Amino acid sequence: MGELTDRPIKVMEVCGTHTVSIFRQGLRALFPPNVALVSGPGCPVCVTSQGEIDAALSLAGRANTTVATYGAMLRVPGTEPTLAEERSRGADVRVVTSADQALSLAMDDRTRTVVFLAVGFETTAPATASVVLDACREDLDNFMILNLHKSVPPALETLASDPEVKLEAFLLPGHVSVITGLEPYRFLPERYGIACAVAGFEAEEIMAALVEVARQIREKRPRVASLYSRAVRPQGNATARSVMGKVFALDDATWRGLGIITSSGYSLREEFTRFDALERLGLTIKEAPPPAGCMCGEVLKGLIDPPACALFGRSCTPAHPIGPCMVSTEGSCAAYYRFRQRGNVNWRD
């Protein structure tokens, strides 16, 4: 890679799983000094906006209501408490590992309203769409979703068009690409001249993808390459996209740090609004400022590395997180903190 980079280049790894894999395998120590790798908005918990977190918190403690959520959402601070704190006060908040489990909670006890916090990208949206179809077939009246799903390609366009970010390459997400295929990324090299490579999560796969984008930059021939052909087909997973298409339509969505992005969210189609917690329960998502001093937004745009935040490792730690990037196991701040403690990073700063 060093032979291919005759000038400084800035590469963003989009996926939170890539972020953790890179740290866990000690790859940063292998990068040439003129390759700057920054983290992006690929952690679903991290990009959930403060207003969306507050809306989720407003569900906790409602009469006869169970909130079903992935574990990472439990400790993300809202404007006031966290779901974990609400649970300690008696709210019925259950941790699930799949949308199916949330649906099962509703089917097992039809006297309670079960609301599933549906977060994530194209990776998890098909499973949510599938359970909405199941709930429709079962004519379940006590199951709803707080739909916070988002689409990755529009967020990449926001970053690519931002002159402050100044990216030259994307390490594209493996899991998302399994669903989307390669076509949704074509605009990145064609319109913005950005080199792209999809990678798996093993060390050699990540390094091969980084060599690929370095070669594209060196040859001034940006394109979308896949170094993860064992899992990602060029056309993606048509079945999963078909299920999503039946249930969701693209809509505007708010991303932490990136603001409102056109057609970057998945809203429920009109025929499924009876499963929409916002619609049924009269919830509103009111935008709220991030916690004072928190720089998760700048981290998610690749403008700073986590240690540049004044809160990092001081008042904000995995034990007492202030921002979501320190909560999620896929969060960049949590990865920096965790692996710095192990001395597994060649810290240049």
Side-chain angles (χ1 to χ4, degrees):
M1 195 192 316
E3 296 177 358
L4 294 169
T5 51
D6 55 1
R7 61 180 177 80
I9 63 172
K10 185 177 177 181
V11 183
M12 174 175 282
E13 95 267 3
V14 176
C15 175
T17 307
H18 276 149
T19 301
V20 175
S21 293
I22 289 166
F23 276 113
R24 180 179 292 121
Q25 298 176 95
L27 301 185
R28 282 180 175 265
L30 303 178
F31 297 160
N34 53 0
V35 174
L37 189 67
V38 297
S39 299
C43 162
V45 173
C46 303
V47 299
T48 302
S49 74
Q50 197 70 22
E52 291 171 332
I53 298 294
D54 287 344
L57 282 161
S58 73
L59 293 166
R62 289 177 72 105
N64 208 36
T65 300
T66 296
V67 178
T69 177
Y70 296 127
M73 290 288 287
L74 211 60
R75 296 196 308 125
V76 179
T79 301
E80 293 296 333
T82 64
L83 284 171
E85 289 168 333
E86 292 287 3
R87 185 168 68 173
S88 70
R89 295 169 186 160
D92 188 8
V93 180
R94 314 275 185 95
V95 174
V96 296
T97 57
S98 69
D100 278 334
Q101 285 187 356
L103 184 68
S104 294
L105 290 174
M107 296 181 71
D108 291 345
D109 185 354
R110 301 197 181 203
T111 68
R112 294 188 64 80
T113 296
V114 175
V115 182
F116 174 53
L117 304 188
V119 301
F121 308 119
E122 282 83 357
T123 316
T124 53
T128 301
S130 180
V131 299
V132 169
L133 292 174
D134 289 344
C136 193
R137 278 191 291 269
E138 294 290 333
D139 198 24
L140 273 183
D141 193 43
N142 65 324
F143 178 74
M144 290 173 245
I145 66 170
L146 179 57
N147 180 29
L148 307 176
H149 282 303
K150 294 177 171 60
S151 177
V152 168
L156 301 189
E157 178 155 30
T158 295
L159 292 167
S161 61
D162 188 336
E164 188 182 18
V165 178
K166 298 177 181 174
L167 291 172
E168 292 174 285
F170 280 117
L171 187 63
L172 294 171
H175 297 322
V176 168
S177 301
V178 168
I179 306 299
T180 65
L182 305 181
E183 193 59 36
Y185 307 120
R186 301 284 185 203
F187 70 93
L188 290 168
E190 294 172 0
R191 200 178 306 158
Y192 298 99
I194 293 181
C196 296
V198 180
F201 302 95
E202 300 299 326
E204 60 272 23
E205 294 172 327
I206 293 170
M207 294 303 286
L210 290 172
V211 169
E212 168 63 25
V213 295
R215 180 178 293 112
Q216 292 182 26
I217 294 169
R218 177 66 175 262
E219 296 174 351
K220 298 180 180 178
R221 293 178 54 216
R223 56 191 179 276
V224 178
S226 176
L227 283 297
Y228 197 28
S229 58
R230 63 187 171 88
V232 176
R233 290 174 290 180
Q235 69 275 22
N237 186 323
T239 302
R241 290 203 307 279
S242 174
V243 173
M244 289 169 61
K246 288 179 182 175
V247 174
F248 296 126
L250 285 174
D251 204 348
D252 299 348
T254 301
W255 296 57
R256 187 183 295 265
L258 277 66
I260 298 173
I261 301 177
T262 302
S263 299
S264 69
Y266 289 100
S267 64
L268 284 165
R269 292 189 181 277
E270 187 174 356
E271 58 264 42
F272 299 108
T273 53
R274 67 189 176 105
F275 300 106
D276 187 343
L278 290 174
E279 184 84 12
R280 284 271 302 275
L281 302 179
L283 302 180
T284 56
I285 294 177
K286 301 175 182 175
E287 282 317 307
C294 175
M295 300 185 74
C296 280
E298 287 81 354
V299 171
L300 293 167
K301 291 178 73 175
L303 296 177
I304 64 168
D305 285 334
C309 175
L311 307 185
F312 177 84
R314 299 176 180 86
S315 54
C316 184
T317 66
H320 301 285
I322 293 176
C325 295
M326 188 61 89
V327 175
S328 172
T329 55
E330 294 188 347
S332 182
C333 295
Y336 265 78
Y337 186 92
R338 177 182 173 193
F339 290 96
R340 185 179 69 169
Q341 297 302 96
R342 292 184 181 180
N344 196 20
V345 178
N346 180 22
W347 297 98
R348 301 193 187 104
D349 54 349

